[in-house]
Amino acid sequence: MVCSGMYAVLKILRLIGPHVKQRLEKSWSVLCMSSSSLLPACAGVTNLRCGKEVHAYALVIGVETDVYVRSALVDMYAKCGFIYEAKTLFCRMSERNTVTWNSMIFGYANHGYCTEAIELFNKMKTEGSMKLDYLTFVAVLTACCHAGMIELGKSLFRLMQEEHGIMPRLEHYACMVDLLGRAGNLTEAYDMIKAMPMEPDLFVWGALLGASRNYGILNLLR
């Protein structure tokens, strides 16, 4: 599946390249859209070589500075684990959108830079120009989970609802159950699952099961 996705991306690159170049003067938006659409495909299969080719292509055709293209580049480098490259691009951006911030926070959180993820979240919140969305909180809760910051995670979970009017989704509950479970607060994690307004999915149950195994309390799930 991964290989076929990778070959599909490379095939698209070969096919779309000459076509887009011929229409360079006619459609700037198409150029930006083609680049920003290909990059998530590269990130999805964590194919850095492919992503770098699209990056080079975006530079050549002059769309690398477009906010959507550069946001996709930040996301691609972050998902491939090249945090320095993602951060460099992020810092060079004169304009950022919510997707840009979320991608960088996720990149930090998923690769162990939890303090940096939380600091960037706080910066995003204080600047006030960007709207925090449900993914912003998934990203920062992921950082709290990996860093074991229980009280901060609980505080952000409440903040999301009370100040930003964002109702928790399955992703948020999975993060919270994982956060509580890793700290050994299995009863509290289980109580949260029972209080959920929707049916828990495999990720939510998986977080609790993983924690139960780690602490040898499997009878909780019987």
Side-chain angles (χ1 to χ4, degrees):
M1 183 71 71
V2 171
C3 290
S4 62
M6 190 182 304
Y7 289 134
V9 170
L10 295 174
K11 184 177 180 181
I12 292 169
L13 276 171
R14 287 195 298 268
L15 291 173
I16 203 171
H19 174 71
V20 174
K21 285 178 183 177
Q22 290 171 6
R23 300 174 183 270
L24 181 59
E25 295 83 10
K26 294 184 179 180
S27 182
W28 174 267
S29 61
V30 170
L31 294 172
C32 296
M33 191 165 55
S34 65
S35 298
S36 59
S37 297
L38 286 169
L39 284 162
C42 299
V45 295
T46 57
N47 185 352
L48 182 64
R49 180 179 175 183
C50 172
K52 283 186 172 181
E53 288 179 1
V54 181
H55 189 179
Y57 177 67
L59 280 166
V60 169
I61 62 177
V63 299
E64 192 256 1
T65 56
D66 176 79
V67 64
Y68 296 102
V69 174
R70 191 161 283 187
S71 295
L73 284 167
V74 169
D75 184 57
M76 184 274 296
Y77 281 114
K79 283 180 177 174
C80 290
F82 283 74
I83 302 302
Y84 176 79
E85 287 77 2
K87 179 185 176 182
T88 299
L89 282 168
F90 180 86
C91 292
R92 280 169 44 197
M93 294 178 71
S94 57
E95 178 188 1
R96 304 181 185 109
N97 57 25
T98 301
V99 173
T100 320
W101 288 88
N102 289 351
S103 296
M104 196 67 241
I105 297 170
F106 264 122
Y108 278 140
N110 288 328
H111 291 89
Y113 298 90
C114 300
T115 301
E116 289 84 351
I118 293 164
E119 287 175 353
L120 192 61
F121 168 81
N122 288 330
K123 185 177 180 182
M124 179 183 182
K125 186 175 63 172
T126 53
E127 284 196 2
S129 57
M130 289 294 108
K131 182 180 180 181
L132 281 65
D133 63 11
Y134 84 96
L135 283 174
T136 311
F137 284 93
V138 174
V140 73
L141 286 173
T142 299
C144 291
C145 182
H146 291 172
M149 298 179 177
I150 302 173
E151 294 307 317
L152 179 58
K154 288 181 180 180
S155 174
L156 290 170
F157 190 70
R158 289 192 298 269
L159 178 80
M160 175 182 75
Q161 300 171 71
E162 295 170 3
E163 291 193 20
H164 296 273
I166 300 172
M167 297 308 296
R169 302 191 184 193
L170 285 167
E171 298 96 318
H172 303 114
Y173 282 110
C175 286
M176 290 303 298
V177 170
D178 195 17
L179 175 64
L180 294 168
R182 289 187 188 211
N185 300 346
L186 298 174
T187 302
E188 188 177 356
Y190 187 48
D191 288 342
M192 176 171 278
I193 291 177
K194 290 191 293 184
M196 285 173 59
M198 75 281 285
E199 284 293 317
D201 64 2
L202 291 175
F203 294 101
V204 175
W205 285 119
L208 184 62
L209 178 60
S212 298
R213 282 177 175 167
N214 289 338
Y215 285 94
I217 317 178
L218 289 175
N219 63 320
L220 183 69
L221 297 178
R222 290 174 184 168

